[in-house]
Amino acid sequence: MAATVFYLDEIPQVGAVAVLDGPEGRHAATVRRIRVGEPITLSDGAGLLAESEVVAAGRDRLELKVRDRVVAPPVSPAVTVVQALPKSDRSELAVELMTEAGADVIVPWQAARCVANWEAKARKGVEKWRAAARAAARQSRRAYIPAVADLHRTGDVLDLVRRTVADNGIAIALHESGTARFAGLPFDADRIVLIVGPEGGLADDELTALEAAGAHIALLGPTVLRTSTAAAVALGALGALTPRW
């Protein structure tokens, strides 16, 4: 595989020429300085991977001949991370880390104790997270770019938990008050939802409501983690505890 994956919405058939332009083409041609003859891996971000070779290079675009196409199977069980909004200086870092660690869906959550408040700028915040997820997916050579959902309020998160549990999935709220050990939970499910609170922690009424909706309240490990790193640590643990790795 080439050193970096570049994303293209529509990848042509083997033997055809693909044009990589826009931000991806600019990054490849101008930042990475990729030249004619170099191999490139293209992806549509939804599982399709195409090995290609640069046949022409411009200032901010590349033309690539497709040599081979394969579809990467999705990882199972799928993991959705509900991430309470971190402080602005660590917000995109949280998205980058969980993307590199393998999150399949990322849900921004306006929890009660969030310092950040997206109520007046939800669209801008979501777009920043989507851009961060795309860049991190490229860096980590992912065939799938994690989907970033619209901003969720607590009621939306509770609905997600109920639907997950009803569909034989498992929802886990990571919290230091948890009496269940993360490693001891039943992960024989097709879908896992991880819920990460903000810097101030989950409020008591949020914990009560999450548990009533069917979520497990679990202790991830012996130390208290930052909200920006907790999801990545949990995803790493899931890689070892489930068939994801």
Side-chain angles (χ1 to χ4, degrees), residues 7 20 28 31 35 57 81 129 160 167 213:
Y7 295 109
L20 188 67
V31 179
R35 297 296 179 255
V81 177
W129 278 30
L160 173 61
D167 199 30

Side-chain angles (χ1 to χ4, degrees), residues 162-242:
R162 294 187 192 101
R163 292 196 306 271
T164 300
V165 174
D167 199 30
N168 297 316
I170 181 172
I172 307 146
L174 305 175
H175 195 264
E176 60 188 5
S177 69
T179 55
R181 292 179 60 252
F182 187 82
L185 293 175
F187 291 119
D188 53 342
D190 292 331
R191 184 182 179 194
I192 298 171
V193 173
L194 296 174
I195 302 164
V196 180
E199 285 87 352
L202 293 168
D204 290 343
D205 59 342
E206 289 172 335
L207 283 168
T208 299
L210 286 167
E211 192 166 27
H216 297 266
I217 312 300
L219 185 65
L220 181 57
T223 58
V224 177
L225 300 169
R226 288 180 180 269
T227 186
S228 54
T229 57
V233 172
L235 284 159
L238 284 175
L241 293 168
T242 71

Side-chain angles (χ1 to χ4, degrees), residues 42-43 58 83 109 138 147 192 238 241:
L42 296 173
S43 174
Q83 173 67 61
W109 174 29
R138 181 203 297 137
I192 298 171
L238 284 175
L241 293 168

Side-chain angles (χ1 to χ4, degrees), residues 2-8 10-12 16-42 50 52-66 138:
T4 305
V5 170
F6 289 95
Y7 295 109
L8 189 62
E10 294 187 13
I11 298 175
V17 173
V19 176
L20 188 67
D21 54 12
E24 292 286 298
R26 192 173 304 112
H27 182 79
T30 304
V31 179
R32 295 295 305 275
R33 298 177 181 271
I34 294 171
R35 297 296 179 255
V36 172
E38 293 189 43
I40 290 292
T41 301
L42 296 173
S52 64
E53 180 182 335
V54 180
V55 294
R59 181 177 178 182
D60 54 7
R61 60 177 267 157
L62 299 176
E63 294 181 18
L64 310 105
K65 188 168 185 178
V66 177
R138 181 203 297 137

Side-chain angles (χ1 to χ4, degrees), residues 143-169:
Y144 292 86
I145 301 172
V148 177
D150 291 335
L151 180 66
H152 278 43
R153 280 73 178 179
T154 298
D156 302 320
V157 173
L158 295 174
D159 286 342
L160 173 61
V161 170
R162 294 187 192 101
R163 292 196 306 271
T164 300
V165 174
D167 199 30
N168 297 316

